[in-house]
Amino acid sequence: MNPRQDVASLPNIATFVAAAKAGNFTRAAAMLGVTKSAVGKSIARLEQHLGVTLFQRTTRITRLTADGEAYFAACEAALAEIHAAGDALRSAHEVISGRLRVNMPVAFGRRVLLPLLLDMARPHPALSLSLTFTDAITDPLEEDVDILIRFGGLADTSHLIARRLVRQPRVICAAPSYLQARGAPTSLDDLQQHMAVVGSHRGPPLHWVVMDRGVERRILPPATHQMSDGEAMVEAGLAGLGIFQAPASLVRGPIARGALIPLLEAYAAGPVDVHALWPRAAQLSPKVRYVIDQLVACAARGLLD
């Protein structure tokens, strides 16, 4: 395929992504400020270039074909990276100033994010940080926060922008002292005979996520000890108070030195997403864009694992 043709197709690709997101050519034309006919011709050129049909079109519906779905996923991701690169370049030449309010989970925030945020602020003396640490469910608009870091996300994010930073495996573990006293569970049913350290209604979850017979589900272990944040849960587990589940970043060190022992690994569920969330705005402020771009770059280098 001719590289020059690929470059020439970039405007058509942008039109295709807009049409796929809009759901029909009329809305896409309105978004792009062109005519519906122009959108149709752009899509037709792209389909001819690729040799596939991207949209199934009738008088009533316009929807992506299977090839169109696959191509849309790839194009959307590529365009997002292009925009992120442009934002990063612009951020490098802007004066990053003002007060930036970031709210993050207690343990993950202190152990992983805090050193990185301090490094980000150091080259920008006009940038002031207000950092808060809580595992409670919060809303940036209600808490007057610029950036919110959360495991999993919020129930309603229609008023927020969310960017996944990293995926963290979940680990069930306990201290050797607990296992010496109570033994180790070998099945999920065994957990009912054990002591557990769980979260609270406004903190980390009371439930655990496990894989049971090939199906991911939530279970409620005995709520022997309830903690309002992940830091306290890890400390309680290290003290031998019970079994607990936590993201890998919080227990990797203690496991490596033998202070915690992984359990029930056959029931390990899929990883939990860590998101950065911020309020929707017509234009993202330089300070927010700078920190988001830096967090994405840190995640790409494995610094958030």
Side-chain angles (χ1 to χ4, degrees), residues 168-181:
Q168 289 260 326
R170 302 175 174 95
V171 182
I172 297 173
C173 53
S177 60
Y178 174 86
L179 298 176
Q180 289 166 7

Side-chain angles (χ1 to χ4, degrees), residues 132-152:
T132 53
F133 304 84
T134 177
D135 287 335
I137 302 300
T138 56
D139 187 311
L141 296 184
E142 294 179 4
E143 301 293 332
D144 193 24
V145 172
D146 297 305
I147 302 173
L148 182 68
I149 308 296
R150 277 295 175 271
F151 285 92

Side-chain angles (χ1 to χ4, degrees), residues 71-94:
Y71 193 59
F72 170 65
C75 290
E76 185 181 35
L79 288 176
E81 291 303 319
I82 291 171
H83 290 316
D87 288 342
L89 288 174
R90 285 190 292 272
S91 295
H93 297 284
E94 290 174 327

Side-chain angles (χ1 to χ4, degrees), residues 4-240:
R4 291 185 179 180
Q5 289 180 330
D6 286 337
V7 172
S9 295
L10 288 177
N12 298 332
I13 291 171
T15 301
F16 162 69
V17 170
K21 288 182 176 179
N24 64 53
F25 290 4
T26 301
R27 282 197 292 269
M31 290 167 50
L32 297 170
V34 299
T35 64
K36 179 182 176 182
S37 174
V39 171
K41 290 177 180 178
S42 183
I43 299 298
R45 286 193 295 269
L46 185 59
E47 289 177 327
Q48 183 179 14
H49 173 63
L50 296 171
V52 299
T53 300
L54 298 173
F55 286 97
Q56 182 184 33
R57 296 186 286 274
T58 69
T59 55
R60 290 183 299 173
I61 62 169
T62 300
R63 63 185 174 200
L64 290 168
T65 63
D67 287 330
E69 290 278 4
Y71 193 59
F72 170 65
C75 290
E76 185 181 35
L79 288 176
E81 291 303 319
I82 291 171
H83 290 316
D87 288 342
L89 288 174
R90 285 190 292 272
S91 295
H93 297 284
E94 290 174 327
V95 175
I96 308 301
S97 63
R99 183 162 298 279
L100 181 73
R101 297 170 290 270
V102 184
N103 180 277
M104 64 201 99
V106 177
F108 185 70
R110 290 185 182 278
R111 299 183 184 196
V112 178
L113 294 177
L114 180 58
L116 299 176
L117 289 168
L118 297 180
D119 285 343
M120 293 175 202
R122 195 169 291 115
H124 302 281
L127 177 66
S128 301
L129 296 178
S130 288
L131 307 180
T132 53
F133 304 84
T134 177
D135 287 335
I137 302 300
T138 56
D139 187 311
L141 296 184
E142 294 179 4
E143 301 293 332
D144 193 24
V145 172
D146 297 305
I147 302 173
L148 182 68
I149 308 296
R150 277 295 175 271
F151 285 92
L154 300 178
D156 177 17
T157 58
S158 59
H159 60 298
L160 302 174
I161 302 293
R163 178 71 184 264
R164 188 176 74 190
L165 299 175
V166 70
R167 309 194 80 191
Q168 289 260 326
R170 302 175 174 95
V171 182
I172 297 173
C173 53
S177 60
Y178 174 86
L179 298 176
Q180 289 166 7
R182 301 293 296 265
T186 59
S187 70
L188 297 179
D189 291 338
D190 288 351
L191 287 173
Q192 299 308 314
Q193 311 306 317
H194 281 267
M195 303 169 68
V197 180
V198 297
S200 63
H201 291 290
R202 284 190 54 79
L206 291 159
H207 66 266
W208 294 353
V209 180
V210 298
M211 189 67 72
D212 185 17
R213 299 179 182 88
V215 178
E216 189 172 278
R217 68 184 183 92
R218 296 180 177 186
I219 63 170
L220 286 173
T224 313
H225 305 287
Q226 292 181 254
M227 305 290 163
S228 65
D229 65 72
E231 189 83 60
M233 288 178 62
V234 174
E235 291 302 320
L238 287 167

